[in-house]
Amino acid sequence: MPDQAACKSRRGVEHGERGAAAAAVLARHLPDGYAHPALREALLGVGFIDAADPQVARVLAEVPAEQLLQLGRSWAYEAYEPELVHAGLELLRGRATLRDRRNVQMLGLLSRLFGRGAFEVLAGLDGQLPAILWLADRSDSWGRLYAVHLLRQVEDPRARSWLLRQAVNGDYLNQYFAGDLADDLAIHEVLGASSLR
């Protein structure tokens, strides 16, 4: 087997380099206006960005929130390139409004590409657990992985019920969360409940 520590270290370096590259592109082009074509072209060269990356977050903090919201909507809902749609969802994190809910859910249906971004945007909207559960029901593969990760952090009986009854659907990727989920939900206690006898 490859050296896991070395692989993890390389991934961290790559992630850090991508964050620095994305931050540099945003710092160079955002002052020219969010519709500037050079920004789109430069970001396509960077690939997927992470708005939570400290380097990217510092640049975004200098830009008016309304400008970032409009840019996020423009990319997420109008761009053809997956990298820009993903970047749009990243900019909508913590900035989206209820107006964005349905569009974000629709993007989240392409769960392998945009599941994580969609769930993170929905998680930032108050009172939107039903919207998250709606998307979780319709997600598969990596999208379901992101749904489970998010819902495991939600203190709500509706989230627990979904995790207990619907999280595991037989997909190969269930192996990444099934064990932890069983511990979280105390499955051994549920199976031993008198109501199941």
Side-chain angles (χ1 to χ4, degrees), residues 18 22 26 39-51 71-72 74-91 107 113-114 116-117:
R18 188 180 307 119
L26 292 168
L39 174 56
R40 294 172 61 100
E41 293 302 316
L43 272 182
L44 286 174
V46 171
F48 294 109
I49 71 166
D50 180 359
L71 176 57
S74 174
W75 283 349
Y77 310 150
E78 299 171 17
Y80 291 101
E81 304 90 343
E83 295 91 342
L84 290 181
V85 175
H86 172 80
L89 287 170
E90 287 292 301
L91 295 184
L107 283 172
L113 284 175
F114 307 125
R116 182 179 70 87

Side-chain angles (χ1 to χ4, degrees), residues 4-157:
Q4 292 183 353
C7 288
K8 184 176 181 181
S9 175
R10 276 198 303 276
R11 284 197 300 272
V13 169
E14 290 168 2
H15 182 75
E17 290 173 352
R18 188 180 307 119
V25 165
L26 292 168
R28 187 179 312 121
H29 295 292
L30 275 179
D32 297 328
Y34 70 83
H36 200 284
L39 174 56
R40 294 172 61 100
E41 293 302 316
L43 272 182
L44 286 174
V46 171
F48 294 109
I49 71 166
D50 180 359
D53 181 287
Q55 300 168 95
V56 173
R58 277 194 296 272
V59 174
L60 296 180
E62 301 298 319
V63 181
E66 184 61 26
Q67 181 179 339
L68 293 177
L69 176 60
Q70 294 307 317
L71 176 57
R73 285 173 172 164
S74 174
W75 283 349
Y77 310 150
E78 299 171 17
Y80 291 101
E81 304 90 343
E83 295 91 342
L84 290 181
V85 175
H86 172 80
L89 287 170
E90 287 292 301
L91 295 184
L92 288 175
R93 285 170 59 182
R95 301 179 183 91
T97 68
L98 289 179
R99 164 186 163 187
D100 297 291
R101 178 185 58 194
R102 180 57 64 181
N103 287 332
V104 170
Q105 283 180 305
M106 293 301 105
L107 283 172
L109 293 176
L110 299 170
S111 58
R112 295 185 187 190
L113 284 175
F114 307 125
R116 182 179 70 87
F119 280 116
E120 288 175 348
V121 173
L122 292 174
L125 295 174
D126 289 338
Q128 291 308 301
L129 180 57
I132 293 171
L133 293 173
W134 181 93
L135 183 55
D137 277 337
R138 292 159 177 81
S139 296
D140 63 1
S141 187
W142 289 104
R144 185 160 291 253
L145 196 68
Y146 300 134
V148 170
H149 175 72
L150 171 60
L151 291 169
R152 285 176 63 197
Q153 303 171 56
V154 175
E155 295 288 338
D156 188 293

Side-chain angles (χ1 to χ4, degrees), residues 125-193:
L125 295 174
D126 289 338
Q128 291 308 301
L129 180 57
I132 293 171
L133 293 173
W134 181 93
L135 183 55
D137 277 337
R138 292 159 177 81
S139 296
D140 63 1
S141 187
W142 289 104
R144 185 160 291 253
L145 196 68
Y146 300 134
V148 170
H149 175 72
L150 171 60
L151 291 169
R152 285 176 63 197
Q153 303 171 56
V154 175
E155 295 288 338
D156 188 293
R158 293 170 295 176
R160 177 181 169 83
S161 177
W162 188 90
L163 290 169
L164 185 61
R165 299 174 185 278
Q166 294 165 265
V168 176
N169 66 346
D171 187 278
Y172 174 76
L173 294 178
N174 290 171
Q175 66 179 314
Y176 288 108
F177 60 75
D180 290 336
L181 194 59
D183 289 340
D184 286 354
L185 299 173
I187 294 294
H188 61 288
E189 295 178 10
V190 174
L191 293 177

